[in-house]
Amino acid sequence: INAEYGQLVVETWTLLKTKTYLYTTLGFSCLAFTVGSLTQWIPVYVVHASEIAGSPYSNSEANYVFGIPTCVAGFVAIPLGSVVSKFLEHYTPKADALINAVGMLITSVTLYVAIAAAPYNITVFWVFAGITQIAAFIGWAPNTAIILYTTPALMRSLAQAVNILFSHLLGDAISPTIQGELSDKIKEAFRDFDISISTCVALEYSFFVSCFVCVLGSALYFAAAENLVEDKARAADTVVSRRPTVVSARSRENSALNASAYLRDEYADDEASRPLIQPGIQGKSE
């Protein structure tokens, strides 16, 4: 067991030393940070901003309407990211990283416009909120592709697991709390104003943190693009050896019994030619 944990630590450290993988994981964490904060706080912001704009939404209406562009963006942007990647790879081998970098840069700009426009025209907000989500989601498929082809074949499942862990740990697991705490601090400076105004302004300023995080994520993906070709070639040439797993006698027996049952079904019509597997006996490959 200790040997297995030791190898897990070594392989994880190897992944994090791969620049493309590290930058991609951190960049995707920035995206998760933004998506997490938007999911939690956009409906609350819409309720107060729409009241100021003169077309008030209730809580349920804000959540429902926000869910529509979210679903549409998910169905449209993720397949679109794959199509754009296939098209651009004919022109540059860095296409996947550049799609993410440009997508996050657009996300930061459109999010800023959407948040700033909401208290004046809620329709403009919804338009730019939809563009923001499409720009954010378009890089999800290319991001997965980067992880797969810049890590050795036997380490890809671990690479995906570590990427998912860090993207949640540094992203949507903490962003709603950070933005909420920041909003509360800002609201104290506007406590003499109407509740809708103070809440709207506080959330508006706190959303600018997500805009900055998107710019940071874009920079990380641009950095990943600079190392992508080299790391992809290195991963293709790398062979990872794993220690043989220590298997108990009972495990070997169960494996043999399962194999025997499989072969019995496969050779049901031809018992004479069915290979014989006995528990505890391992065959040798020629």
Side-chain angles (χ1 to χ4, degrees):
I1 295 177
N2 291 335
E4 292 178 1
Y5 282 137
Q7 183 166 356
L8 177 63
V9 171
V10 169
E11 291 184 359
T12 302
W13 180 244
T14 301
L15 287 173
L16 296 178
K17 288 196 299 182
T18 304
K19 291 182 179 179
T20 302
Y21 179 81
L22 177 61
Y23 294 148
T24 299
T25 298
L26 293 176
F28 194 68
S29 298
C30 291
L31 178 59
F33 183 99
T34 302
V35 172
S37 66
L38 296 182
T39 303
Q40 178 70 29
W41 293 112
I42 279 292
V44 179
Y45 180 68
V46 167
V47 170
H48 296 285
S50 62
E51 185 175 343
I52 296 173
S55 52
Y57 282 70
S58 66
N59 258 333
S60 58
E61 289 173 335
N63 279 282
Y64 178 77
V65 177
F66 179 62
I68 294 174
T70 303
C71 291
V72 172
F75 279 111
V76 172
I78 295 177
L80 180 61
S82 297
V83 172
V84 174
S85 173
K86 290 295 183 182
F87 174 77
L88 292 180
E89 69 182 7
H90 297 292
Y91 301 95
T92 173
K94 304 175 182 179
D96 289 332
L98 294 177
I99 289 171
N100 279 276
V102 174
M104 291 200 69
L105 202 56
I106 294 173
T107 300
S108 67
V109 175
T110 54
L111 176 59
Y112 176 86
V113 174
I115 295 302
Y120 303 98
N121 191 319
I122 201 67
T123 302
V124 173
F125 165 81
W126 287 123
V127 170
F128 278 92
I131 297 173
T132 296
Q133 290 173 304
I134 292 175
F137 295 160
I138 197 171
W140 282 31
N143 180 84
T144 302
I146 293 172
I147 293 171
L148 292 178
Y149 61 60
T150 58
T151 54
L154 291 179
M155 295 173 64
R156 286 172 182 168
S157 59
L158 176 63
Q160 286 280 33
V162 173
N163 179 266
I164 293 171
L165 172 64
F166 277 98
S167 65
H168 289 304
L169 190 64
L170 301 177
D172 55 338
I174 61 173
S175 61
T177 302
I178 291 175
Q179 183 163 342
E181 289 291 335
L182 180 60
S183 175
D184 288 343
K185 296 296 183 183
I186 298 173
K187 190 189 295 186
E188 292 178 2
F190 296 91
R191 58 179 176 270
D192 296 332
F193 291 81
D194 179 78
I195 184 64
S196 289
I197 295 176
S198 61
T199 303
C200 182
V201 171
L203 283 172
E204 179 179 352
Y205 288 166
S206 64
F207 273 123
F208 295 154
V209 173
S210 294
C211 294
F212 171 78
V213 170
C214 280
V215 173
L216 176 61
S218 178
L220 288 165
Y221 275 112
F222 276 120
E226 293 301 312
N227 298 276
L228 191 147
V229 176
E230 179 182 349
D231 287 339
K232 183 178 180 180
R234 184 184 296 112
D237 294 336
T238 300
V239 177
V240 179
S241 62
R242 295 190 182 274
R243 293 176 180 270
T245 304
V246 178
V247 182
S248 66
R250 182 179 294 276
S251 297
R252 287 198 300 271
E253 182 177 351
N254 290 338
S255 297
L257 291 173
N258 290 336
S260 296
Y262 169 77
L263 291 172
R264 185 172 59 251
D265 293 339
E266 287 292 307
Y267 290 86
D269 299 329
D270 190 5
E271 288 286 336
S273 62
R274 174 164 61 91
L276 178 63
I277 296 181
Q278 298 179 358
I281 300 177
Q282 297 178 347
K284 296 182 179 179
S285 59
E286 308 232 336

